[in-house]
Amino acid sequence: MEILMSIVVGVLFTSAVYLILSKSLLRVIIGTALLSHGAHLLLLTMSGLKTGDAPVLLDGVTSYTDPLPQALVLTAIVISFGVTAFFLVLAYRAYQELGTDNMEEMKGNESND
Amino acid sequence: MSLLHIAIVLPFIAAVFIPFLFKGFRNIHTGWFVLLVPLALFIYFIQYLPVTSGGQTVSKTFEWIPSLGINFNAHVDGLGLLFALLITGIGSLVVLYSIYYLAKEKEALHNFYVYLLMFMGAMLGVVLSDNLIVLYMFWEFTSISSFLLIGYWYDKERSRYGAQKSMLITVFGGLSMLGGIVLLYIMSGTFSIQELISMSGSLMQDPMFIPAMLLILLGAFTKSAQFPFHVWLPDAMEAPTPVSAYLHSATMVKAGIYLVARMSPVFAESGIWLWLVAGFGLFTLFWGSFNAVKQTDLKGILAFSTISQLGLIMSLLGLGAAALHFDQLDENIYMGATIAAVFHLINHATFKGSLFMVAGIVDHETGTRDIRNLGGLVNLMPITFTIALIGTFSMAGLPPFNGFLSKEMFLLATLEILEFNLFSMDTWGILFPVIAWIASVFTFIYSIMLLFKTFLGKLQLDKLPKKPHEAPIGMLISPIVLGALVIVFGFFPNLLSNSMIKPAVEAILPSLVDSGQEVYVNIYFWHGFTPELFMTIGIVLFGTLLYATLGKWQGIYNRIPEQFTINGVYDRGLEKGESGSFKLTEGIMTGYMRTYLLYIFGFFVAILLSTLVVRDAFSIDTSNLAEIRIYEVILAVVMIASAITILFAKSRLTSIIALGAVGYSVALFFVFFRAPDLALTQLVIETVSVALFLLCFYHLPEISRKEERMGFRFGNAVISILVGITITLIAISAYSNSSVFESISQYHIDNVYKLAAGGNMVNVILVDFRGFDTLFEICVLGVAALGIYAMVHFRGVRRQKG
């Protein structure tokens, strides 16, 4: 299962990097969102999958899934959401001000200063 | 801090007060105040003469950074004192001369004297420091003050060019020298020159010895204008003439000579040292004298002449290293080279200083320094002519002046080196007297040219901007004093031999003196019909012949095309360096984010994949894997399909929805992997994110609403596939090795209820065991919210401007 998940994560990273390298700002942001999905899954995978029950204390259960990576992923999800939201609004404001979402056109040059 | 230290920094202290004196006493020339400083120092240093001529040295310690071994240790021995007397003595004369040369109404005298005093103090620091780092500090001070002085008339373009050139070259050398100093410190563990000398034998064996020597020599050669670093000196002639006389003939350019002499005891046993110092010196001697004949500007001739004479002293110092290979002092013929070097050092400072002042007087009184416009000034300026005659004849090496004596000693030294049977000197050494003789012929030619074309021949009044007349007496005092010294040292050279030359030679060759023997310096005027006398006669005859036929062969100078000269190489090098680095930056910094991301990802892949391959780190271990169920395979396929869909979607809406699909599959995976809290959060957040994406999509500007498929780029595809492969490989390898240590989670599982009174382990970890993370994660959200609010709310800065 872990090898399968590693491959899935690899595919997510591939698509994310390809999107990040594209011209359109919106696609770049989609790429970063994909990248964070990949990272979260990778975090969880690396601690081992399905080693026990959900980490909620129950009588009679002896083996639980590792709770620590879950806590880490939860933190990461919230942070990446904050950053994505900020980034999206930034892109929205950039559309409004510059009238474009093309990264190539956003190249800084002397006349724009 | 002893009196000696105060003496060294006195010029710096005095420099602080100069601007106040300049502003406060407008009707007195500021130079008169300045004059007191070098005079006082000269008298102070004279007192050390009996000490050093008795073979003693004086060392005074002043702790600066003792923990790093950097202390301002002043050390007075024969060599240091000789330089200190030159610096203060000629310094006094130059200040006196400058009082009459620079008008107090027109010039920014406070700047001039502040720079000059800075330079004087720095130079004293260089020659009297025992600590190499302190020496380096003062060394760079001389570079900086020289830069300021060359650019004194900063509104002139040539001045700025000359200042920049000298700065670049001398600072390049200075930094190399610092490298050499650091290497010496690594080898020996000390910055003290005296301690280095005492362990010079063991240093020879060190593999760093040669690099250290080369770096130190680079510093010395750039400062002392040795070939091919001499190019800055002729351009430094844009400085006011007192500066040229002081810095660029008598003192600063001799700092490199000083360094070579000072470090001789450390390095000179090596044959490389002998060949490098003597060889570069000799070639510089030839090159400088050869090029001096071409010049038409008085100061240009003098600049190339200085280069050539510095080469002469340098080669003598190199030849003097031969003396170290023979123990017997009384029969050591090679020591004559070192004596000649010290003697010529003094001689050159006297006659070159006076000649620069003469050039300044001619410039001041006629308005031009071009020898093509000058001539026939002998009747108008008889005193100046006399001084010039003494100076040029001494420079040419004619009796009865001091230049004759040192030139004879130089020729003798080049002849004696033929008998030296180490370092293949006995075969290639024949070049030394031959080149020395040719160079001396050229020296004779330009000396005579300097004198005759300026003062003899026809007076061309129509070409002169001013009506010439004799200079005021104040301006003449300094060159007269120097000219008188030329004659005095010429007739009574032994005045110097015991008081100054002997202690200096003892400082340059300490290992010979250690065995209790005494250096015996006796300079004769006449020592019979020796080979060097015939060489001098040959120089005079041949030089006269060549001077008489100058017009016929001068054409050879035009044969050398401009771009092959060292100046051409320097200029083009600077230009190419600038345009090259500009092109490089233009090429790398395209301004497109994609390029930079390509660099980053490319580097990421290159480093990680190559590490994987080089360390053979890839491993796969299937023993520890969880089983795969069909649901999960389906989910994985869905997820991969949606991720790929995003890449090929034509419409942005499709990509947003596909992204949502990926997010919800991640949530489902969380369910499969027994992570209920994660699944919950992921679902909610994915929903909000997709809403935000849609908001963004809706507000796309009209013009670029045109939907298009993402263009395919091969480079992007390669890089992203490589990134994916790298991640997968590393993930598999890492997981295969992950069972080396137990997880710490058993502690959380055991204590979640006992210590924290909770059942949900993830939540207890978030708010209890690792509550700090959560606190700052809340901060991140808060900051993001505030930032979004600010972005939306505060706008219009741009519009108000536009």
Side-chain angles (χ1 to χ4, degrees):
Chain A
M1 187 68 222
E2 281 83 0
I3 292 176
L4 176 68
M5 285 314 289
S6 297
I7 294 166
V8 171
V9 166
V11 173
L12 283 183
F13 268 77
T14 305
S15 334
V17 170
Y18 193 80
L19 284 166
I20 287 173
L21 290 171
S22 81
K23 279 194 295 191
S24 149
L25 191 54
L26 194 67
R27 285 199 174 108
V28 172
I29 304 174
I30 292 175
T32 55
L34 267 185
L35 200 71
S36 43
H37 287 323
H40 300 156
L41 279 181
L42 189 64
L43 257 174
L44 214 57
T45 309
M46 285 294 100
S47 70
L49 297 170
K50 296 189 287 186
T51 47
D53 266 29
V56 179
L57 216 54
L58 269 180
D59 282 338
V61 178
T62 47
S63 94
Y64 293 99
T65 312
D66 196 339
L68 194 59
Q70 297 195 8
L72 296 181
V73 173
L74 195 63
T75 311
I77 289 175
V78 174
I79 289 174
S80 65
F81 168 70
V83 174
T84 308
F86 185 85
F87 197 7
L88 270 171
V89 176
L90 190 67
Y92 158 74
R93 291 283 296 123
Y95 295 154
Q96 282 190 330
E97 294 289 328
L98 305 174
T100 178
D101 78 327
N102 190 338
M103 297 291 291
E104 316 261 292
E105 289 173 19
M106 289 189 197
K107 182 185 174 220
N109 56 32
E110 289 78 16
S111 60
N112 269 4
D113 284 345
Chain B
M1 185 172 251
S2 65
L3 198 57
L4 184 58
H5 289 109
I6 294 172
I8 294 171
V9 295
L10 180 68
F12 288 106
I13 299 167
V16 174
F17 296 101
I18 293 303
F20 300 109
L21 292 170
F22 176 72
K23 294 262 155 58
F25 301 89
R26 283 319 268 264
N27 45 354
I28 305 173
H29 196 288
T30 318
W32 291 114
F33 301 112
V34 179
L35 185 59
L36 300 174
V37 176
L39 265 184
L41 288 174
F42 185 72
I43 293 164
Y44 173 75
F45 282 118
I46 284 277
Q47 293 172 351
Y48 281 95
L49 264 184
V51 181
T52 56
S53 54
Q56 306 290 310
T57 59
V58 180
S59 282
K60 293 275 199 282
T61 309
F62 176 70
E63 292 203 334
W64 183 22
I65 316 175
S67 57
L68 297 179
I70 299 172
N71 293 312
F72 185 8
N73 287 351
H75 180 81
V76 183
D77 61 0
L79 185 66
L81 186 66
L82 165 67
F83 272 91
L85 287 175
L86 278 180
I87 293 159
T88 50
I90 296 185
S92 317
L93 295 173
V94 161
V95 171
L96 180 66
Y97 176 78
S98 72
I99 292 172
Y100 292 92
Y101 188 83
L102 297 170
K104 69 170 182 282
E105 294 80 15
K106 284 184 285 188
E107 304 284 354
L109 289 175
H110 51 316
N111 293 347
F112 181 79
Y113 286 114
V114 166
Y115 302 158
L116 199 72
L117 283 172
M118 254 172 74
F119 170 76
M120 195 182 288
M123 218 36 224
L124 280 177
V126 166
V127 299
L128 296 177
S129 299
D130 184 50
N131 191 292
L132 281 170
I133 294 289
V134 177
L135 189 149
Y136 172 73
M137 181 190 81
F138 283 117
W139 184 276
E140 293 298 31
F141 256 124
T142 65
S143 294
I144 293 167
S145 48
S146 164
F147 168 78
L148 291 169
L149 283 166
I150 297 168
Y152 174 64
W153 287 310
Y154 52 82
D155 45 344
K156 287 202 292 185
E157 209 260 325
R158 293 289 310 167
S159 293
R160 297 199 301 270
Y161 172 77
Q164 187 205 38
K165 193 173 188 178
S166 75
M167 184 78 165
L168 286 176
I169 294 179
T170 55
V171 168
F172 160 72
L175 283 175
S176 315
M177 191 179 109
L178 181 63
I181 292 171
V182 171
L183 285 184
L184 277 177
Y185 182 76
I186 293 170
M187 282 190 275
S188 66
T190 178
F191 284 124
S192 160
I193 299 173
Q194 297 306 317
E195 285 175 34
L196 278 171
I197 291 171
S198 66
M199 57 175 87
S200 64
S202 60
L203 292 182
M204 281 272 285
Q205 316 303 325
D206 201 291
M208 306 269 223
F209 180 76
I210 301 291
M213 180 208 287
L214 294 179
L215 287 171
I216 297 260
L217 276 184
L218 203 56
F221 283 178
T222 50
K223 199 75 161 182
S224 278
Q226 298 295 296
F227 185 88
F229 306 110
H230 64 275
V231 283
W232 67 268
L233 189 61
D235 284 303
M237 291 301 131
E238 295 300 323
T241 303
V243 172
S244 311
Y246 189 38
L247 273 69
H248 307 125
S249 75
T251 53
M252 188 180 89
V253 287
K254 294 207 171 94
I257 302 274
Y258 167 80
L259 190 72
V260 168
R262 180 55 89 199
M263 299 310 277
S264 275
V266 181
F267 294 115
E269 298 235 4
S270 155
I272 300 171
W273 172 272
L274 198 161
W275 269 108
L276 274 181
V277 177
F280 269 92
L282 203 70
F283 191 74
T284 310
L285 165 66
F286 165 73
W287 190 251
S289 61
F290 178 70
N291 276 294
V293 180
K294 180 173 75 166
Q295 307 300 316
T296 54
D297 175 49
L298 281 182
K299 280 173 87 174
I301 301 176
L302 289 173
F304 276 102
S305 146
T306 302
I307 293 167
S308 129
Q309 305 277 325
L310 291 170
L312 187 154
I313 301 172
M314 197 66 97
S315 70
L316 279 171
L317 283 175
L319 294 175
L324 293 173
H325 298 272
F326 297 92
D327 284 338
Q328 287 303 314
L329 261 193
D330 33 344
E331 288 161 23
N332 199 331
I333 48 172
Y334 304 112
M335 199 151 67
T338 311
I339 296 172
V342 176
F343 188 42
H344 194 73
L345 180 83
I346 303 170
N347 294 344
H348 177 249
T350 53
F351 69 68
K352 192 52 65 66
S354 73
L355 283 177
F356 266 109
M357 291 175 185
V358 164
I361 290 171
V362 169
D363 186 15
H364 208 265
E365 302 306 328
T366 63
T368 179
R369 296 195 312 246
D370 195 325
I371 53 171
R372 287 167 299 191
N373 300 338
L374 292 167
L377 293 175
V378 57
N379 294 325
L380 295 165
M381 308 167 83
I383 305 173
T384 317
F385 169 71
T386 314
I387 303 164
L389 179 102
I390 296 168
T392 47
F393 275 27
S394 177
M395 182 158 76
L398 298 177
F401 305 108
N402 57 6
F404 170 70
L405 299 170
S406 43
K407 172 83 40 114
E408 294 272 277
M409 290 162 79
F410 167 60
L411 293 172
L412 179 66
T414 59
L415 286 172
E416 278 167 347
I417 204 69
L418 295 176
E419 294 167 29
F420 188 61
N421 53 5
L422 283 175
F423 316 131
S424 53
M425 236 348 140
D426 40 355
T427 48
W428 287 97
I430 187 71
L431 284 174
F432 280 83
V434 171
I435 298 177
W437 189 80
I438 297 171
S440 302
V441 172
F442 280 106
T443 307
F444 182 85
I445 298 171
Y446 72 69
S447 304
I448 297 303
M449 193 174 88
L450 187 71
L451 183 70
F452 283 20
K453 294 219 168 162
T454 312
F455 291 100
L456 302 180
K458 201 162 67 64
L459 188 62
Q460 311 174 70
L461 275 181
D462 50 324
K463 285 192 184 171
L464 297 180
K466 284 191 202 166
K467 175 129 178 47
H469 54 80
E470 186 58 274
I473 184 68
M475 215 172 193
L476 287 168
I477 294 173
S478 302
I480 287 174
V481 171
L482 288 171
L485 284 177
V486 169
I487 300 178
V488 170
F489 293 159
F491 280 108
F492 309 105
N494 288 319
L495 274 181
L496 292 172
S497 60
N498 273 326
S499 57
M500 291 174 87
I501 299 178
K502 188 170 92 92
V505 172
E506 282 172 349
I508 299 174
L509 303 169
S511 61
L512 295 180
V513 189
D514 279 350
S515 46
Q517 308 171 84
E518 267 204 23
V519 177
Y520 179 66
V521 179
N522 197 1
I523 302 165
Y524 301 96
F525 222 110
W526 174 257
H527 29 148
F529 290 99
T530 47
E532 63 268 21
L533 183 68
F534 292 111
M535 283 171 89
T536 303
I537 294 170
I539 289 165
V540 175
L541 290 177
F542 211 68
T544 317
L545 188 71
L546 279 180
Y547 178 70
T549 55
L550 192 60
K552 290 186 182 138
W553 56 272
Q554 221 171 12
I556 61 162
Y557 285 112
N558 304 328
R559 296 275 173 84
I560 307 166
E562 185 61 32
Q563 65 261 39
F564 290 117
T565 59
I566 316 280
N567 261 327
V569 171
Y570 168 85
D571 286 339
R572 265 182 311 136
L574 212 58
E575 204 179 292
K576 285 272 153 60
E578 274 175 24
S579 62
S581 53
F582 182 72
K583 268 183 206 151
L584 187 73
T585 323
E586 279 283 277
I588 298 175
M589 311 294 280
T590 55
Y592 295 115
M593 217 176 61
R594 175 178 171 265
T595 326
Y596 307 138
L597 287 169
L598 277 179
Y599 298 152
I600 293 169
F601 287 127
F603 196 71
F604 172 86
V605 167
I607 291 290
L608 291 179
L609 273 188
S610 64
T611 312
L612 264 185
V613 172
V614 171
R615 306 296 296 266
D616 196 20
F618 181 73
S619 62
I620 187 158
D621 174 17
T622 50
S623 63
N624 207 16
L625 298 178
E627 36 134 14
I628 305 177
R629 279 182 302 172
I630 185 73
Y631 313 116
E632 289 148 1
V633 177
I634 293 170
L635 196 56
V637 170
V638 167
M639 193 178 218
I640 290 174
S642 349
I644 307 282
T645 311
I646 301 176
L647 299 183
F648 294 100
K650 186 178 176 198
S651 125
R652 283 181 190 142
L653 198 57
T654 319
S655 21
I656 292 170
I657 289 165
L659 178 68
V662 173
Y664 291 124
S665 353
V666 170
L668 272 179
F669 265 124
F670 287 156
V671 172
F672 286 146
F673 297 152
R674 313 276 194 278
D677 298 293
L678 290 186
L680 213 61
T681 319
Q682 178 67 28
L683 274 175
V684 173
I685 277 184
E686 196 56 37
T687 313
V688 178
S689 299
V690 169
L692 272 172
F693 271 105
L694 288 174
L695 175 84
C696 249
F697 169 77
Y698 180 74
H699 282 281
L700 266 183
E702 294 296 328
I703 22 160
S704 56
R705 273 277 177 87
K706 189 172 50 123
E707 300 279 7
E708 55 183 19
R709 212 179 291 281
M710 192 160 53
F712 176 75
R713 290 215 195 186
F714 184 71
N716 292 2
V718 170
I719 285 286
S720 38
I721 289 169
L722 281 174
V723 169
I725 290 173
T726 313
I727 293 286
T728 307
L729 291 182
I730 290 178
I732 292 172
S733 311
Y735 187 73
S736 302
N737 292 315
S738 66
S739 50
V740 184
F741 294 106
E742 279 295 302
S743 163
I744 57 162
S745 294
Q746 198 53 47
Y747 171 83
H748 294 133
I749 295 168
D750 292 344
N751 291 304
V752 64
Y753 191 74
K754 226 185 292 170
L755 292 180
N760 186 329
M761 292 168 207
V762 174
N763 288 6
V764 168
I765 289 174
L766 280 175
V767 298
D768 206 319
F769 290 129
R770 302 175 57 89
F772 260 117
D773 292 0
T774 314
L775 176 65
F776 290 106
E777 167 197 339
I778 293 168
C779 288
V780 169
L781 272 190
V783 168
L786 281 176
I788 289 168
Y789 176 76
M791 267 194 297
V792 175
H793 194 73
F794 300 114
R795 55 176 66 183
V797 179
R798 201 185 160 88
R799 277 186 202 141
Q800 277 163 14
K801 264 190 195 164

